Amino acid sequence: MSAPFRRADRGWAALFLLPLGLGLFLFNGLPLLQVAWNAFHRWDLLGPARAVGLANFGAVLADPRFHQALGQTVAFGALEVALEVGAGLWLAALLDAPLRERGVYRAAFFLPVTAGTAALAIAWGFLLDAQAGPLAHLFPAWPGLADPAWAFASVVVLSAWKHVGVAVLLFLAALSQLPEPVLEAAKLDGARGLGLWRWVTLPLLAPAVAVVALLGAINALTAFDWIYLLTQGGPEGRTMVLGYWIYQEAFEYFRVGRAAVATLLLAAAAFAVGALRRRTAEDAA
Amino acid sequence: MSPWLRRAVLLPVSLFFALPFALVALMAVMPPAALARFPGELAPFSPTLRHLRAVLGDPALSGYVWNSLLVSGATTLGNLAVSALGGYAFARFDFPFKRPAWGAVVATLAIPPIATVVPLFSLFASAGALDTRLALVLPGLASALGVVLMRQAFEAQGAGLEEAAAIDGASRPQAFLRVALPLAAPTIAALAALVFLTTWNAFLWPLVATHSEASRTLAVGLASYRSSFREVTDWGRVMAATLVALLPGLLALGAAQKAFVRGLGAGAEKG
C-alpha cells in the first residue's frame, strides 16, 4: 500500500507541465518578444537585421495608409460589435420561447461558425461577383466588391455573419438564467413587451452583452481572412485594416520592422480587451 | 409575440445563414450543362457525383485534402495530450509560482494569430522547417483554451477516486491515465472537435508557412481561386472542393448538435 498522492509533488508537476510550457513559450511568448525586438530593427525577412532605433515608429506614424487602416479598424470594430450585439440579441429574443423547430434555427445561425472562412469566401465571392454572381443577375446595377463602400460593408457584414451564432448562444444561455422573480415582479408592476426588455431584461443581460461586445472587438481587431480572400484591402484601400496592413508590410513589402510596430499596437489592444473580458467574467461570477 | 410572427422572421434569417452552404452543395452536384446556364437559369437537373470524383482524382486537390486531414488529426491528438497533462498539473498539484504561471497561460489566450505569424515564419525558416506539414502542426499543440477546459474538467471531477486508486497501489501516471482521463471523456471529445475544426479551418499560418502542393492545406488551396472567378472554367470542381472543406463542420454540427453547440458555447465563454 502506497501513500496517497502529494499535491506538492514537484517532480510529477514539472513533468506534466513541460510540454505545455515549452509549446506556449516557443510559439507564443518567444514570438511576442521577437516582435518587440523587430520593432527596433530594419529587416526584410531574409538578409541581416540592422538596429535603427525608433525609425520604424516614425515611419509608421507618418504613413497615411497606416492612419487609414487604423481609422477603418475602429469603424470595422464599432460596426461589427453593433451587428453582433444587435443581431445576437434580436435572434436570441426570437428564439427564447418554445418553438418546435427552434433547434433548426439555432443550428442554421451556428453553421458559419463551424466553417472555414476560405470555403465561405468561395461561396460569397460567387454570390457577390459582379459578372458571374446571382446577385448581379437579380440586380444588374450591383457593382460587386469593386465599389469601395459596398466592399467595406460586405466584409463587415460577412465577419459579423460568421460570428453571430456564438452571440446567439451566449445570449440564449444568459436569457435562460435570468432571475424569474425579478421578471415576475416587473410584469406585476405592468411592464410589457419592449418596455420590459428595455428596463428589465436588457440591464440583466449586461454581462453577456459585454462579453459579446469584447468578442466582436477581438474579431474586428484581428480581421484578416475575409479581407485577404475577398478584397485584398481595396478598392482604394477602403477595406485596409490593421491585420491586413501588418500582413502586407511583412510578406509583400518585406518591412518587418514596420509590421512589428503595428503588431505591438495590435497586441496591446488585444491584451486590453482580454483584461476587460476577465474583469467582466469576474464581475459576473 | 405569436409563434407565427416569430417564424416569419426566423425563417428568412436562417435562409440567409444557410444560403452559401446550399449554393455550394447545389453547384457541387450540378451537371456541366446546368452549371453553364447558372445562375441565369435554374432548371431541374439530375445530381452528379462527377465533380466530387474529379476532386479526389485531381492530384493537387486530393493532396490538399490529405494534408488537411493529417495536420488536423496530428494537431488534435497532440493538443489533447498537452492540454490534459497541463490541465491535470494545474488541477492536482501545488508548485511555486502557480498563480502567475496560470496568469501567463491565460494571457496567451489574448495573443492574436496575426501578432505571432512573422516571428513564427522566421523561427521555422531558421530551422529549415518551412513548407512542411510539421510546421503546421507544432504551433497548435499547446493552447491555453485546451488547458483551461481540461483543468476545469479535472477540478470538477475531484481527486477522491484517484486517492482511492493510490491506496490500492496506483502510481501517479496510472491514476492520470486510468482514472482521471476516462472521467474527462466529455470534455476531451468537445476539445477534440474544437481543435480539429480550428486546425482544419486555419488560414493565416498555413498561408504564410507553405508554398508547395506537398504541404498546402485545403483552406489555402481553395484561396487560390479567390478574385480570379472570371478565369474559373470548372465551377463544379471548385464547389465540390469547397463542399469537402465544409464537411467536417457540417458533420460535427449534425452528429452531435446539442452537445457540440453547448460545448463550443462554453468554450467561447471561457476563452
Side-chain angles (χ1 to χ4, degrees), chain A residues 2 43 51 96 118 121 124 127 135 137 163 192 195-196 219 237 252 262 274:
Chain A
S2 67
W43 187 40
D96 185 45
W124 277 110
L127 282 164
L135 202 64
H137 272 271
H163 297 117
R192 288 277 176 285
L196 179 71
N219 289 337
E252 283 177 20

Side-chain angles (χ1 to χ4, degrees), chain B residues 37-53:
Chain B
R37 291 193 298 271
F38 185 77
E41 181 187 324
L42 179 58
F45 60 87
S46 48
T48 171
L49 287 177
R50 59 184 293 165
H51 306 305
L52 278 164
R53 274 200 218 103

Side-chain angles (χ1 to χ4, degrees), chain A residues 117-234:
Chain A
T117 312
L120 294 174
I122 295 275
W124 277 110
F126 179 78
L127 282 164
L128 300 175
D129 191 73
Q131 266 88 35
L135 202 64
H137 272 271
L138 292 173
F139 309 101
W142 167 247
L145 299 173
D147 178 81
W150 277 112
F152 183 73
S154 298
V155 289
V156 173
V157 169
L158 286 176
S159 184
W161 172 84
K162 178 159 178 12
H163 297 117
V164 80
V166 174
V168 172
L169 279 187
L170 293 173
F171 285 137
L172 276 176
L175 281 168
S176 73
Q177 283 161 9
L178 288 183
E180 228 21 80
V182 178
L183 293 178
E184 289 306 318
K187 281 180 196 157
L188 280 179
D189 288 342
R192 288 277 176 285
L194 275 181
L196 179 71
W197 252 87
R198 170 65 188 86
W199 299 109
V200 184
T201 312
L202 207 53
L204 287 171
L205 286 180
V209 170
V211 169
V212 170
L214 294 171
L215 280 176
I218 284 287
N219 289 337
L221 208 52
T222 60
F224 171 81
D225 297 9
W226 284 112
I227 290 161
Y228 177 90
L229 291 157
L230 290 178
T231 63
Q232 294 91 54

Side-chain angles (χ1 to χ4, degrees), chain B:
Chain B
M1 235 200 272
S2 90
W4 287 107
L5 203 57
R6 284 160 56 210
R7 285 194 174 102
V9 179
L10 285 166
L11 196 67
V13 175
S14 13
L15 288 181
F16 171 58
F17 280 82
L19 177 72
F21 297 86
L23 176 88
V24 170
L26 187 75
M27 289 178 76
V29 297
M30 231 186 232
L35 271 175
R37 291 193 298 271
F38 185 77
E41 181 187 324
L42 179 58
F45 60 87
S46 48
T48 171
L49 287 177
R50 59 184 293 165
H51 306 305
L52 278 164
R53 274 200 218 103
V55 166
L56 298 181
D58 179 324
L61 282 174
S62 61
Y64 297 154
V65 175
W66 178 237
N67 288 338
S68 279
L69 277 173
L70 267 184
V71 168
S72 309
T75 306
T76 304
L77 287 178
N79 186 294
L80 288 179
V82 174
S83 300
L85 287 169
Y88 186 83
F90 276 103
R92 292 285 186 273
F93 294 113
D94 294 322
F95 48 87
F97 307 110
K98 185 173 169 180
R99 281 184 66 90
W102 185 249
V105 168
V106 174
T108 64
L109 276 173
I111 302 177
I114 187 76
T116 53
V117 72
V118 176
L120 282 182
F121 180 88
S122 60
L123 178 72
F124 280 95
S126 60
L130 270 185
D131 201 28
T132 64
R133 289 179 292 226
L134 187 67
L136 302 185
V137 171
L138 286 179
L141 291 184
S143 74
L145 183 60
V147 191
V148 169
L149 290 177
M150 291 312 301
R151 178 183 184 174
Q152 279 168 350
F154 290 132
E155 277 176 353
Q157 77 192 33
L161 274 174
E162 287 168 61
E163 298 295 340
I167 291 166
D168 288 344
S171 66
R172 193 50 110 161
Q174 281 173 330
F176 170 70
L177 285 171
R178 305 243 174 96
V179 181
L181 270 189
L183 284 172
T187 304
I188 291 174
L191 181 60
L194 198 63
V195 176
F196 190 93
L197 276 184
T198 309
T199 316
W200 179 273
N201 292 334
F203 185 67
L204 176 59
W205 173 236
L207 172 75
V208 167
T210 64
H211 52 79
S212 74
E213 280 179 10
S215 54
R216 289 229 126 151
T217 58
L218 185 56
V220 181
L222 280 180
S224 58
Y225 295 112
R226 70 176 178 134
S227 69
S228 59
F229 284 153
R230 248 153 291 161
E231 288 124 59
V232 172
T233 48
D234 195 347
W235 273 107
R237 191 178 299 192
V238 175
M239 288 305 184
T242 307
L243 185 62
V244 174
L246 293 173
L247 226 46
L250 293 174
L251 284 178
L253 196 57
Q257 213 244 58
K258 281 183 184 164
F260 182 71
V261 163
R262 251 185 240 130
L264 266 192
E269 219 166 353
K270 263 85 185 199

